[in-house]
Amino acid sequence: MQGTATPNRAQGVSPHASGDTLESWGGIVSAHLEDFAEELGCTPEDVLGAVDSAGIDPLVDTAESKGRGKDRDRPEDPALRSLAITTDELDTLTNLID
């Protein structure tokens, strides 16, 4: 990933970075599951397997219920399902998948 913004970082937030399919802001990477897989050169199932294997608890997983209000169907389709993890966790995933 390469940085695309160079504003003043007075509050200690990491600069915005964007790769082909993943974007990062403040040390958090978020994207559709399908985009994580594309960026890592694997399948969405490989990404989920690596997340489980590494014991990573995503900050956001749109397939998981938020525990509020009605229990609605959550997107399981990799093109719709989104994950958010830290940049350190992305490094861990990259190492596991390589």
Side-chain angles (χ1 to χ4, degrees), residues 1-2 17-23 29-44 47 90 93-94 97-98:
M1 271 192 270
Q2 62 189 18
S18 178
D20 291 336
T21 54
L22 303 183
E23 294 198 5
V29 180
S30 61
H32 287 114
L33 175 57
E34 193 171 72
D35 293 335
F36 273 104
E38 183 179 325
E39 186 77 21
L40 297 172
C42 62
T43 67
V47 173
L90 179 61
L93 282 181
T94 302
I97 291 175
D98 283 343

PDB file of all heavy atoms in Angstrom, residues 1-2 17-23 29-44 47 90 93-94 97-98:
ATOM      1  N   MET A   1       0.829  -1.177   0.000  1.00  0.00           N
ATOM      2  CA  MET A   1       0.000   0.000   0.000  1.00  0.00           C
ATOM      3  C   MET A   1       0.876   1.243   0.000  1.00  0.00           C
ATOM      4  O   MET A   1       1.918   1.262   0.607  1.00  0.00           O
ATOM      5  CB  MET A   1      -0.869  -0.003   1.244  1.00  0.00           C
ATOM      6  CG  MET A   1      -2.159  -0.711   1.066  1.00  0.00           C
ATOM      7  SD  MET A   1      -3.262  -0.395   2.422  1.00  0.00           S
ATOM      8  CE  MET A   1      -2.803  -1.728   3.480  1.00  0.00           C
ATOM      9  N   GLN A   2       0.408   2.258  -0.627  1.00  0.00           N
ATOM     10  CA  GLN A   2       1.159   3.503  -0.666  1.00  0.00           C
ATOM     11  C   GLN A   2       0.304   4.630  -0.097  1.00  0.00           C
ATOM     12  O   GLN A   2      -0.904   4.591  -0.148  1.00  0.00           O
ATOM     13  CB  GLN A   2       1.567   3.829  -2.086  1.00  0.00           C
ATOM     14  CG  GLN A   2       0.358   4.026  -2.999  1.00  0.00           C
ATOM     15  CD  GLN A   2       0.757   4.140  -4.447  1.00  0.00           C
ATOM     16  OE1 GLN A   2       1.849   3.764  -4.813  1.00  0.00           O
ATOM     17  NE2 GLN A   2      -0.127   4.652  -5.264  1.00  0.00           N
ATOM     18  N   ALA A  17      -3.664   5.479   3.418  1.00  0.00           N
ATOM     19  CA  ALA A  17      -2.912   4.713   2.432  1.00  0.00           C
ATOM     20  C   ALA A  17      -3.907   3.931   1.593  1.00  0.00           C
ATOM     21  O   ALA A  17      -4.944   3.510   2.077  1.00  0.00           O
ATOM     22  CB  ALA A  17      -1.935   3.766   3.116  1.00  0.00           C
ATOM     23  N   SER A  18      -3.571   3.757   0.342  1.00  0.00           N
ATOM     24  CA  SER A  18      -4.452   3.039  -0.551  1.00  0.00           C
ATOM     25  C   SER A  18      -3.644   2.135  -1.453  1.00  0.00           C
ATOM     26  O   SER A  18      -2.643   2.546  -2.016  1.00  0.00           O
ATOM     27  CB  SER A  18      -5.247   4.031  -1.406  1.00  0.00           C
ATOM     28  OG  SER A  18      -6.082   3.342  -2.304  1.00  0.00           O
ATOM     29  N   GLY A  19      -4.064   0.880  -1.533  1.00  0.00           N
ATOM     30  CA  GLY A  19      -3.458  -0.049  -2.470  1.00  0.00           C
ATOM     31  C   GLY A  19      -4.380  -0.163  -3.659  1.00  0.00           C
ATOM     32  O   GLY A  19      -5.171   0.735  -3.934  1.00  0.00           O
ATOM     33  N   ASP A  20      -4.301  -1.272  -4.355  1.00  0.00           N
ATOM     34  CA  ASP A  20      -5.208  -1.469  -5.482  1.00  0.00           C
ATOM     35  C   ASP A  20      -6.642  -1.633  -4.997  1.00  0.00           C
ATOM     36  O   ASP A  20      -7.571  -1.132  -5.607  1.00  0.00           O
ATOM     37  CB  ASP A  20      -4.787  -2.687  -6.297  1.00  0.00           C
ATOM     38  CG  ASP A  20      -3.472  -2.455  -7.026  1.00  0.00           C
ATOM     39  OD1 ASP A  20      -3.128  -1.285  -7.284  1.00  0.00           O
ATOM     40  OD2 ASP A  20      -2.788  -3.444  -7.321  1.00  0.00           O
ATOM     41  N   THR A  21      -6.823  -2.363  -3.884  1.00  0.00           N
ATOM     42  CA  THR A  21      -8.175  -2.653  -3.428  1.00  0.00           C
ATOM     43  C   THR A  21      -8.400  -2.361  -1.951  1.00  0.00           C
ATOM     44  O   THR A  21      -9.538  -2.304  -1.520  1.00  0.00           O
ATOM     45  CB  THR A  21      -8.512  -4.136  -3.678  1.00  0.00           C
ATOM     46  OG1 THR A  21      -7.505  -4.941  -3.066  1.00  0.00           O
ATOM     47  CG2 THR A  21      -8.593  -4.444  -5.153  1.00  0.00           C
ATOM     48  N   LEU A  22      -7.348  -2.195  -1.151  1.00  0.00           N
ATOM     49  CA  LEU A  22      -7.484  -1.964   0.286  1.00  0.00           C
ATOM     50  C   LEU A  22      -7.150  -0.524   0.630  1.00  0.00           C
ATOM     51  O   LEU A  22      -6.292   0.080   0.001  1.00  0.00           O
ATOM     52  CB  LEU A  22      -6.547  -2.883   1.077  1.00  0.00           C
ATOM     53  CG  LEU A  22      -6.682  -4.383   0.863  1.00  0.00           C
ATOM     54  CD1 LEU A  22      -5.723  -5.128   1.776  1.00  0.00           C
ATOM     55  CD2 LEU A  22      -8.104  -4.848   1.097  1.00  0.00           C
ATOM     56  N   GLU A  23      -7.821  -0.013   1.639  1.00  0.00           N
ATOM     57  CA  GLU A  23      -7.519   1.329   2.112  1.00  0.00           C
ATOM     58  C   GLU A  23      -7.313   1.288   3.616  1.00  0.00           C
ATOM     59  O   GLU A  23      -7.920   0.490   4.313  1.00  0.00           O
ATOM     60  CB  GLU A  23      -8.639   2.292   1.756  1.00  0.00           C
ATOM     61  CG  GLU A  23      -8.759   2.491   0.260  1.00  0.00           C
ATOM     62  CD  GLU A  23      -9.528   3.729  -0.112  1.00  0.00           C
ATOM     63  OE1 GLU A  23      -9.891   4.501   0.792  1.00  0.00           O
ATOM     64  OE2 GLU A  23      -9.749   3.921  -1.311  1.00  0.00           O
ATOM     65  N   VAL A  29      -7.439  -1.161   8.483  1.00  0.00           N
ATOM     66  CA  VAL A  29      -7.650  -1.506   7.081  1.00  0.00           C
ATOM     67  C   VAL A  29      -9.050  -2.088   6.964  1.00  0.00           C
ATOM     68  O   VAL A  29      -9.407  -3.002   7.698  1.00  0.00           O
ATOM     69  CB  VAL A  29      -6.615  -2.555   6.607  1.00  0.00           C
ATOM     70  CG1 VAL A  29      -6.839  -2.906   5.145  1.00  0.00           C
ATOM     71  CG2 VAL A  29      -5.204  -2.068   6.844  1.00  0.00           C
ATOM     72  N   SER A  30      -9.829  -1.554   6.032  1.00  0.00           N
ATOM     73  CA  SER A  30     -11.175  -2.079   5.831  1.00  0.00           C
ATOM     74  C   SER A  30     -11.435  -2.256   4.348  1.00  0.00           C
ATOM     75  O   SER A  30     -10.973  -1.467   3.523  1.00  0.00           O
ATOM     76  CB  SER A  30     -12.224  -1.151   6.449  1.00  0.00           C
ATOM     77  OG  SER A  30     -12.168   0.117   5.844  1.00  0.00           O
ATOM     78  N   ALA A  31     -12.158  -3.317   4.036  1.00  0.00           N
ATOM     79  CA  ALA A  31     -12.492  -3.612   2.644  1.00  0.00           C
ATOM     80  C   ALA A  31     -13.477  -4.772   2.614  1.00  0.00           C
ATOM     81  O   ALA A  31     -13.709  -5.437   3.624  1.00  0.00           O
ATOM     82  CB  ALA A  31     -11.241  -3.977   1.854  1.00  0.00           C
ATOM     83  N   HIS A  32     -14.023  -5.009   1.437  1.00  0.00           N
ATOM     84  CA  HIS A  32     -14.824  -6.215   1.244  1.00  0.00           C
ATOM     85  C   HIS A  32     -13.897  -7.423   1.363  1.00  0.00           C
ATOM     86  O   HIS A  32     -12.710  -7.355   1.010  1.00  0.00           O
ATOM     87  CB  HIS A  32     -15.475  -6.219  -0.144  1.00  0.00           C
ATOM     88  CG  HIS A  32     -16.600  -5.258  -0.262  1.00  0.00           C
ATOM     89  ND1 HIS A  32     -16.541  -4.158  -1.085  1.00  0.00           N
ATOM     90  CD2 HIS A  32     -17.812  -5.222   0.341  1.00  0.00           C
ATOM     91  CE1 HIS A  32     -17.679  -3.487  -0.989  1.00  0.00           C
ATOM     92  NE2 HIS A  32     -18.460  -4.109  -0.126  1.00  0.00           N
ATOM     93  N   LEU A  33     -14.432  -8.517   1.849  1.00  0.00           N
ATOM     94  CA  LEU A  33     -13.666  -9.756   1.982  1.00  0.00           C
ATOM     95  C   LEU A  33     -13.045 -10.150   0.646  1.00  0.00           C
ATOM     96  O   LEU A  33     -11.878 -10.562   0.581  1.00  0.00           O
ATOM     97  CB  LEU A  33     -14.580 -10.863   2.512  1.00  0.00           C
ATOM     98  CG  LEU A  33     -13.994 -12.258   2.618  1.00  0.00           C
ATOM     99  CD1 LEU A  33     -12.742 -12.270   3.487  1.00  0.00           C
ATOM    100  CD2 LEU A  33     -15.040 -13.222   3.139  1.00  0.00           C
ATOM    101  N   GLU A  34     -13.796  -9.992  -0.415  1.00  0.00           N
ATOM    102  CA  GLU A  34     -13.310 -10.308  -1.757  1.00  0.00           C
ATOM    103  C   GLU A  34     -12.077  -9.464  -2.123  1.00  0.00           C
ATOM    104  O   GLU A  34     -11.145  -9.942  -2.752  1.00  0.00           O
ATOM    105  CB  GLU A  34     -14.441 -10.068  -2.757  1.00  0.00           C
ATOM    106  CG  GLU A  34     -14.202 -10.631  -4.118  1.00  0.00           C
ATOM    107  CD  GLU A  34     -15.473 -10.525  -4.948  1.00  0.00           C
ATOM    108  OE1 GLU A  34     -15.835  -9.393  -5.341  1.00  0.00           O
ATOM    109  OE2 GLU A  34     -16.100 -11.574  -5.192  1.00  0.00           O
ATOM    110  N   ASP A  35     -12.063  -8.204  -1.690  1.00  0.00           N
ATOM    111  CA  ASP A  35     -10.934  -7.321  -1.969  1.00  0.00           C
ATOM    112  C   ASP A  35      -9.696  -7.706  -1.150  1.00  0.00           C
ATOM    113  O   ASP A  35      -8.573  -7.623  -1.641  1.00  0.00           O
ATOM    114  CB  ASP A  35     -11.308  -5.862  -1.711  1.00  0.00           C
ATOM    115  CG  ASP A  35     -12.357  -5.354  -2.688  1.00  0.00           C
ATOM    116  OD1 ASP A  35     -12.446  -5.911  -3.803  1.00  0.00           O
ATOM    117  OD2 ASP A  35     -13.080  -4.418  -2.337  1.00  0.00           O
ATOM    118  N   PHE A  36      -9.904  -8.126   0.114  1.00  0.00           N
ATOM    119  CA  PHE A  36      -8.777  -8.644   0.890  1.00  0.00           C
ATOM    120  C   PHE A  36      -8.151  -9.826   0.160  1.00  0.00           C
ATOM    121  O   PHE A  36      -6.926  -9.913   0.022  1.00  0.00           O
ATOM    122  CB  PHE A  36      -9.226  -9.111   2.285  1.00  0.00           C
ATOM    123  CG  PHE A  36      -9.249  -8.036   3.337  1.00  0.00           C
ATOM    124  CD1 PHE A  36     -10.444  -7.490   3.758  1.00  0.00           C
ATOM    125  CD2 PHE A  36      -8.075  -7.586   3.923  1.00  0.00           C
ATOM    126  CE1 PHE A  36     -10.481  -6.510   4.733  1.00  0.00           C
ATOM    127  CE2 PHE A  36      -8.093  -6.603   4.901  1.00  0.00           C
ATOM    128  CZ  PHE A  36      -9.299  -6.068   5.305  1.00  0.00           C
ATOM    129  N   ALA A  37      -8.992 -10.740  -0.314  1.00  0.00           N
ATOM    130  CA  ALA A  37      -8.499 -11.919  -1.014  1.00  0.00           C
ATOM    131  C   ALA A  37      -7.740 -11.542  -2.281  1.00  0.00           C
ATOM    132  O   ALA A  37      -6.664 -12.078  -2.554  1.00  0.00           O
ATOM    133  CB  ALA A  37      -9.664 -12.854  -1.347  1.00  0.00           C
ATOM    134  N   GLU A  38      -8.292 -10.610  -3.040  1.00  0.00           N
ATOM    135  CA  GLU A  38      -7.631 -10.169  -4.275  1.00  0.00           C
ATOM    136  C   GLU A  38      -6.262  -9.562  -3.967  1.00  0.00           C
ATOM    137  O   GLU A  38      -5.274  -9.858  -4.634  1.00  0.00           O
ATOM    138  CB  GLU A  38      -8.507  -9.164  -5.004  1.00  0.00           C
ATOM    139  CG  GLU A  38      -7.928  -8.702  -6.329  1.00  0.00           C
ATOM    140  CD  GLU A  38      -8.838  -7.726  -7.047  1.00  0.00           C
ATOM    141  OE1 GLU A  38     -10.068  -7.871  -6.951  1.00  0.00           O
ATOM    142  OE2 GLU A  38      -8.301  -6.814  -7.709  1.00  0.00           O
ATOM    143  N   GLU A  39      -6.201  -8.713  -2.954  1.00  0.00           N
ATOM    144  CA  GLU A  39      -4.952  -8.059  -2.583  1.00  0.00           C
ATOM    145  C   GLU A  39      -3.899  -9.064  -2.106  1.00  0.00           C
ATOM    146  O   GLU A  39      -2.710  -8.904  -2.367  1.00  0.00           O
ATOM    147  CB  GLU A  39      -5.215  -7.021  -1.485  1.00  0.00           C
ATOM    148  CG  GLU A  39      -4.019  -6.183  -1.128  1.00  0.00           C
ATOM    149  CD  GLU A  39      -3.701  -5.091  -2.142  1.00  0.00           C
ATOM    150  OE1 GLU A  39      -4.578  -4.699  -2.919  1.00  0.00           O
ATOM    151  OE2 GLU A  39      -2.541  -4.637  -2.135  1.00  0.00           O
ATOM    152  N   LEU A  40      -4.356 -10.118  -1.412  1.00  0.00           N
ATOM    153  CA  LEU A  40      -3.440 -11.112  -0.869  1.00  0.00           C
ATOM    154  C   LEU A  40      -3.187 -12.266  -1.842  1.00  0.00           C
ATOM    155  O   LEU A  40      -2.399 -13.165  -1.540  1.00  0.00           O
ATOM    156  CB  LEU A  40      -3.988 -11.641   0.459  1.00  0.00           C
ATOM    157  CG  LEU A  40      -4.101 -10.595   1.571  1.00  0.00           C
ATOM    158  CD1 LEU A  40      -4.845 -11.171   2.776  1.00  0.00           C
ATOM    159  CD2 LEU A  40      -2.731 -10.076   1.972  1.00  0.00           C
ATOM    160  N   GLY A  41      -3.860 -12.262  -2.983  1.00  0.00           N
ATOM    161  CA  GLY A  41      -3.645 -13.299  -3.990  1.00  0.00           C
ATOM    162  C   GLY A  41      -4.158 -14.662  -3.576  1.00  0.00           C
ATOM    163  O   GLY A  41      -3.499 -15.678  -3.805  1.00  0.00           O
ATOM    164  N   CYS A  42      -5.338 -14.678  -2.975  1.00  0.00           N
ATOM    165  CA  CYS A  42      -5.909 -15.942  -2.517  1.00  0.00           C
ATOM    166  C   CYS A  42      -7.428 -15.879  -2.634  1.00  0.00           C
ATOM    167  O   CYS A  42      -7.957 -14.964  -3.249  1.00  0.00           O
ATOM    168  CB  CYS A  42      -5.477 -16.223  -1.070  1.00  0.00           C
ATOM    169  SG  CYS A  42      -6.065 -14.984   0.100  1.00  0.00           S
ATOM    170  N   THR A  43      -8.106 -16.813  -2.025  1.00  0.00           N
ATOM    171  CA  THR A  43      -9.571 -16.835  -2.050  1.00  0.00           C
ATOM    172  C   THR A  43     -10.118 -16.226  -0.759  1.00  0.00           C
ATOM    173  O   THR A  43      -9.407 -16.158   0.254  1.00  0.00           O
ATOM    174  CB  THR A  43     -10.103 -18.277  -2.165  1.00  0.00           C
ATOM    175  OG1 THR A  43      -9.783 -18.976  -0.948  1.00  0.00           O
ATOM    176  CG2 THR A  43      -9.510 -19.001  -3.363  1.00  0.00           C
ATOM    177  N   PRO A  44     -11.381 -15.809  -0.772  1.00  0.00           N
ATOM    178  CA  PRO A  44     -11.994 -15.324   0.473  1.00  0.00           C
ATOM    179  C   PRO A  44     -11.961 -16.374   1.585  1.00  0.00           C
ATOM    180  O   PRO A  44     -11.756 -16.043   2.754  1.00  0.00           O
ATOM    181  CB  PRO A  44     -13.431 -14.997   0.060  1.00  0.00           C
ATOM    182  CG  PRO A  44     -13.329 -14.645  -1.389  1.00  0.00           C
ATOM    183  CD  PRO A  44     -12.283 -15.594  -1.921  1.00  0.00           C
ATOM    184  N   VAL A  47      -8.655 -16.239   3.288  1.00  0.00           N
ATOM    185  CA  VAL A  47      -8.567 -15.097   4.212  1.00  0.00           C
ATOM    186  C   VAL A  47      -9.249 -15.448   5.530  1.00  0.00           C
ATOM    187  O   VAL A  47      -8.678 -15.259   6.609  1.00  0.00           O
ATOM    188  CB  VAL A  47      -9.185 -13.818   3.607  1.00  0.00           C
ATOM    189  CG1 VAL A  47      -9.247 -12.705   4.645  1.00  0.00           C
ATOM    190  CG2 VAL A  47      -8.408 -13.363   2.383  1.00  0.00           C
ATOM    191  N   LEU A  90      -3.096  -7.159   9.389  1.00  0.00           N
ATOM    192  CA  LEU A  90      -2.935  -7.371   7.952  1.00  0.00           C
ATOM    193  C   LEU A  90      -1.548  -7.940   7.668  1.00  0.00           C
ATOM    194  O   LEU A  90      -1.411  -8.856   6.845  1.00  0.00           O
ATOM    195  CB  LEU A  90      -3.151  -6.076   7.166  1.00  0.00           C
ATOM    196  CG  LEU A  90      -2.978  -6.197   5.650  1.00  0.00           C
ATOM    197  CD1 LEU A  90      -3.981  -7.196   5.046  1.00  0.00           C
ATOM    198  CD2 LEU A  90      -3.119  -4.845   4.991  1.00  0.00           C
ATOM    199  N   LEU A  93      -1.745 -11.569   8.489  1.00  0.00           N
ATOM    200  CA  LEU A  93      -2.448 -12.300   7.429  1.00  0.00           C
ATOM    201  C   LEU A  93      -1.572 -12.505   6.216  1.00  0.00           C
ATOM    202  O   LEU A  93      -1.528 -13.595   5.632  1.00  0.00           O
ATOM    203  CB  LEU A  93      -3.717 -11.554   7.005  1.00  0.00           C
ATOM    204  CG  LEU A  93      -4.945 -11.643   7.872  1.00  0.00           C
ATOM    205  CD1 LEU A  93      -6.084 -10.850   7.265  1.00  0.00           C
ATOM    206  CD2 LEU A  93      -5.357 -13.084   8.069  1.00  0.00           C
ATOM    207  N   THR A  94      -0.889 -11.448   5.826  1.00  0.00           N
ATOM    208  CA  THR A  94       0.004 -11.526   4.660  1.00  0.00           C
ATOM    209  C   THR A  94       1.054 -12.594   4.859  1.00  0.00           C
ATOM    210  O   THR A  94       1.317 -13.400   3.966  1.00  0.00           O
ATOM    211  CB  THR A  94       0.665 -10.158   4.408  1.00  0.00           C
ATOM    212  OG1 THR A  94      -0.360  -9.182   4.199  1.00  0.00           O
ATOM    213  CG2 THR A  94       1.559 -10.189   3.182  1.00  0.00           C
ATOM    214  N   ILE A  97      -0.538 -16.136   4.674  1.00  0.00           N
ATOM    215  CA  ILE A  97      -0.975 -16.536   3.333  1.00  0.00           C
ATOM    216  C   ILE A  97       0.208 -16.730   2.384  1.00  0.00           C
ATOM    217  O   ILE A  97       0.156 -17.563   1.500  1.00  0.00           O
ATOM    218  CB  ILE A  97      -2.024 -15.546   2.801  1.00  0.00           C
ATOM    219  CG1 ILE A  97      -3.286 -15.720   3.628  1.00  0.00           C
ATOM    220  CG2 ILE A  97      -2.294 -15.748   1.320  1.00  0.00           C
ATOM    221  CD1 ILE A  97      -4.390 -14.756   3.338  1.00  0.00           C
ATOM    222  N   ASP A  98       1.294 -15.984   2.602  1.00  0.00           N
ATOM    223  CA  ASP A  98       2.492 -16.168   1.776  1.00  0.00           C
ATOM    224  C   ASP A  98       3.127 -17.460   2.136  1.00  0.00           C
ATOM    225  O   ASP A  98       3.473 -18.335   1.632  1.00  0.00           O
ATOM    226  CB  ASP A  98       3.505 -15.048   1.992  1.00  0.00           C
ATOM    227  CG  ASP A  98       3.109 -13.769   1.270  1.00  0.00           C
ATOM    228  OD1 ASP A  98       2.267 -13.822   0.379  1.00  0.00           O
ATOM    229  OD2 ASP A  98       3.661 -12.731   1.649  1.00  0.00           O
TER     230      ASP A  98
END
